[in-house]
Amino acid sequence: MKVYFSDFFDIDEDVVESYGAVNISLINDLPLFIDPFLLFNSDKEEYKNIHQSIIRYLLFLKKTAGESYEIPKGMLRAWYHFPEVRQTWLGFSLSGNSGHGLGDDFADNLYHGLRTTFSDFGNESVPKSPHLEKLCLISPLVGRDKISDFTTNFAKEYLLNYNQNFAKLYLEQSQCKEFSIPKVCFDYQMGKWHTKKFTLPYFNGDFVLLTPRDMLTRDDTFINRADMIRNLENIAPSVEDATLRFELNNYFMNVLTRKTKEIPKKEKNDAAIRLIMQFPELIDYYLKYKEDNEHEATSISTEAVRTVTLLFNKQLQALVSLLHKNTDFYSEQVSSHEATYNRVIFLKRVIEDMDGYRLFYVDGKPVKREADLQVMYRLVWFASDFDVNREVNNGRGPVDFKISKGSKDVSLVEFKLASNSKLKNNLAKQVEIYQKANATNYAIKVILYFSDAEYARATSIINELGLSGNKDIVLIDARNEKVSASNVKL
């Protein structure tokens, strides 16, 4: 059963681990990202050099950006557009490893940001260093995926050498191939990117890149927009400017400490962003605050990567083994609906009756992210002749999985946590819309619950909607302590 790099290249997973890399899945991206702050904060000179190369390039862009308001299209494509380095098999991709890369939105935000809000980039007096993440602190369109994609492009030369060296040490010649890789290093005199050749691990017509664990994080970069808003109060003591300090105190008095009623989170966030836009120097104080607490970055990312590898490597392998040994999960079925439904029931049986529920807990805490649940299901489907696509969007919203064998044999399946606040709305409307969009009558809804309260909530919603007894609504009991009455399929 091949899922991971070590499986496809027939080496012990301990070899990958001892090399310092994550044993990536070559079926689907894992939810990990390169964090530029980890490069800045690293004790490794080669990591610091990557961060410095990012800053140097941004300063180059800033210099050229100041010369004209409208960016020429040729310049935009040559200097501001970057592809996703999909060969790392990391990131947001919900099916396989193909993402969108850094397109026009990112380019425009970066170009105009360097001309306006970040016109002092490189000349900051408050933080120790400029930081790429400044861009995501203003624009909600620039998140961890785009920051990571940009960073990965500048870490690419290091990663290519890192993997070329791994290939020489541990792989057979037949497992590798020479590739000409574009946009490896930038020539500042010529103003152009250069292509270089590398001998790399070869899989399914493309090269593969392992990434060192100590570059990676999971949920968000250490410097991020939501964290800045949360930490305005912690930033305040270090603000020396009297006017800015007054505005901050005014924000705290009028927004955070208003006693008339509970203020919605969106209202608080909007007020914070307006304040930051009016006084962008607050961003530099936030960057200094993060630099002063830089020790937290490594511990947070180490724990995040440990959690991902535990869930998607070790525990997922155990789940695949249980399904393979104790069910017919990997045998082919007549139709997509039969295959989809049976696999859901096999999964239910393993989780409820064979202690498989333990594999959905990390450090005693249940999986609370539907995206994690969906990735796990995608990975256990890998040995199938069916076409399995995630987050299919036919104009009326995405659905978790579309499972098909030809255009006329199509089934849909959605995975939801019983704790999801939108569960009722989803059951009532969404899947029926998906059915029409995908021309199929088969839509299976799978609901995973981790407590008595979640089970009660889910069954109450199902009964209220008149869906009790529907075969295609499957409840899966993933509680640590079970009672026989809860072993229910609705």
Side-chain angles (χ1 to χ4, degrees):
M1 292 289 186
K2 295 182 179 181
V3 180
Y4 302 98
F5 180 96
S6 58
D7 301 330
F8 285 98
F9 286 91
D10 195 27
I11 58 174
D12 196 299
E13 61 183 319
D14 289 342
V15 171
V16 179
E17 293 292 319
S18 63
Y19 195 66
V22 171
N23 190 19
I24 51 176
S25 160
L26 299 186
I27 303 298
N28 205 92
D29 280 356
L30 295 182
L32 291 169
F33 309 87
I34 294 183
D35 187 342
F37 194 86
L38 295 174
L39 305 178
F40 162 79
N41 189 44
S42 177
D43 293 329
K44 297 179 179 178
E45 286 301 318
E46 56 268 36
Y47 286 14
K48 291 181 179 179
N49 289 338
I50 297 171
H51 190 266
Q52 289 169 4
S53 71
I54 294 172
I55 302 307
R56 184 186 181 191
Y57 189 76
L58 289 173
L59 290 173
F60 166 77
L61 293 183
K62 176 192 167 186
K63 181 180 178 182
T64 58
E67 296 172 1
S68 64
Y69 183 77
E70 291 299 328
I71 182 170
K73 289 185 178 179
M75 181 190 293
L76 189 77
R77 290 176 185 151
W79 292 348
Y80 287 80
H81 276 218
F82 292 90
E84 180 198 26
V85 185
R86 57 188 175 82
Q87 294 85 358
T88 61
W89 289 87
L90 302 172
F92 265 136
S93 180
L94 300 176
S95 182
N97 68 327
S98 296
H100 299 295
L102 301 173
D104 288 343
D105 285 345
F106 179 85
D108 288 340
N109 273 283
L110 179 56
Y111 179 73
H112 292 293
L114 288 170
R115 293 189 73 257
T116 56
T117 312
F118 307 129
S119 58
D120 67 336
F121 189 85
N123 298 313
E124 297 92 342
S125 59
V126 178
K128 291 185 290 187
S129 167
H131 292 275
L132 161 67
E133 301 93 313
K134 259 193 170 185
L135 187 62
C136 71
L137 298 179
I138 289 295
S139 174
L141 300 175
V142 180
R144 62 183 173 185
D145 55 334
K146 288 183 169 57
I147 293 295
S148 180
D149 283 348
F150 191 85
T151 306
T152 304
N153 272 277
F154 285 86
K156 187 161 65 172
E157 185 170 19
Y158 175 84
L159 294 176
L160 290 165
N161 284 309
Y162 181 82
N163 281 271
Q164 181 170 255
N165 183 60
F166 180 91
K168 287 178 181 177
L169 288 173
Y170 300 112
L171 301 183
E172 301 294 332
Q173 190 173 355
S174 60
Q175 296 174 309
C176 306
K177 188 175 178 180
E178 186 178 72
F179 292 87
S180 291
I181 313 295
K183 281 198 168 185
V184 173
C185 59
F186 190 72
D187 185 330
Y188 286 92
Q189 289 186 329
M190 299 292 292
K192 62 181 292 186
W193 286 92
H194 286 305
T195 296
K196 286 189 175 183
K197 291 184 178 181
F198 296 86
T199 299
L200 300 164
Y202 175 73
F203 167 74
N204 199 25
D206 201 359
F207 62 95
V208 179
L209 294 177
L210 295 169
T211 304
R213 287 189 301 274
D214 56 359
M215 284 186 176
L216 298 170
T217 192
R218 182 189 191 184
D219 290 316
D220 217 330
T221 51
F222 186 61
I223 295 172
N224 66 81
R225 182 182 170 93
D227 182 73
M228 178 177 64
I229 294 170
R230 284 195 304 268
N231 278 295
L232 277 181
E233 212 162 352
N234 293 322
I235 298 167
S238 65
V239 175
E240 297 175 0
D241 183 90
T243 301
L244 184 54
R245 192 163 57 250
F246 170 79
E247 293 291 347
L248 261 177
N249 289 332
N250 193 46
Y251 166 77
F252 298 139
M253 290 294 293
N254 292 332
V255 178
L256 297 187
T257 60
R258 197 190 305 165
K259 297 181 179 180
T260 54
K261 62 178 180 178
E262 182 64 28
I263 304 170
K265 182 179 179 182
K266 184 178 185 304
E267 183 181 335
K268 293 180 182 178
N269 290 351
D270 288 346
I273 289 299
R274 286 195 299 272
L275 180 67
I276 293 164
M277 291 294 287
Q278 185 180 356
F279 299 98
E281 55 267 41
L282 276 172
I283 294 173
D284 286 342
Y285 284 101
Y286 167 67
L287 294 176
K288 182 181 185 301
Y289 169 75
K290 298 304 282 186
E291 288 178 348
D292 290 344
N293 293 275
E294 60 187 9
H295 60 281
E296 296 178 5
T298 301
S299 59
I300 290 170
S301 65
T302 299
E303 179 59 24
V305 174
R306 186 191 73 85
T307 299
V308 168
T309 53
L310 183 62
L311 182 63
F312 292 108
N313 287 68
K314 300 186 183 306
Q315 293 181 189
L316 185 70
Q317 289 183 67
L319 179 60
V320 168
S321 178
L322 278 172
L323 288 167
H324 184 62
K325 291 177 181 178
N326 298 295
T327 74
D328 293 324
F329 189 94
Y330 294 107
S331 64
E332 290 304 325
Q333 309 293 330
V334 176
S335 68
S336 66
H337 181 252
E338 181 181 359
T340 304
Y341 182 78
N342 285 347
R343 279 171 164 81
V344 168
I345 296 305
F346 291 147
L347 187 63
K348 174 181 170 69
R349 188 193 311 165
V350 163
I351 292 171
E352 293 185 346
D353 301 332
M354 302 175 191
D355 288 339
Y357 71 90
R358 299 179 190 276
L359 305 176
F360 291 82
Y361 288 79
V362 176
D363 296 333
K365 298 179 181 179
V367 172
K368 283 297 182 183
R369 295 156 49 117
E370 283 176 356
D372 289 349
L373 180 63
Q374 293 156 5
V375 168
M376 292 181 77
Y377 188 69
R378 171 68 181 90
L379 290 174
V380 299
W381 258 89
F382 68 95
S384 168
D385 288 339
F386 287 95
D387 182 23
V388 182
N389 292 309
R390 278 198 65 194
E391 294 290 341
V392 178
N393 194 329
N394 288 335
R396 302 189 184 187
V399 66
D400 290 349
F401 294 96
K402 176 183 176 183
I403 293 135
S404 59
K405 189 178 278 188
S407 60
K408 295 183 179 179
D409 186 6
V410 178
S411 293
L412 307 176
V413 59
E414 271 211 308
F415 282 84
K416 292 293 173 189
L417 293 172
S419 57
N420 188 315
S421 61
K422 297 181 180 179
L423 179 64
K424 182 176 179 179
N425 179 64
N426 177 269
L427 289 176
K429 298 177 181 178
Q430 288 183 322
V431 175
E432 284 68 25
I433 292 174
Y434 301 151
Q435 288 176 344
K436 294 176 184 177
N438 289 284
T440 174
N441 291 321
Y442 298 120
I444 299 170
K445 302 137 190 164
V446 184
I447 304 169
L448 199 69
Y449 62 94
F450 292 94
S451 69
D452 293 346
E454 289 182 3
Y455 169 72
R457 178 175 184 268
T459 53
S460 175
I461 289 171
I462 290 168
N463 291 332
E464 182 182 345
L465 295 173
L467 296 173
S468 180
N470 188 318
K471 177 184 176 183
D472 286 334
I473 298 177
V474 181
L475 284 174
I476 297 183
D477 182 354
R479 292 177 299 173
N480 270 322
E481 297 179 2
K482 305 183 193 305
V483 292
S484 59
S486 69
N487 191 10
V488 176
K489 176 181 70 182
L490 293 178

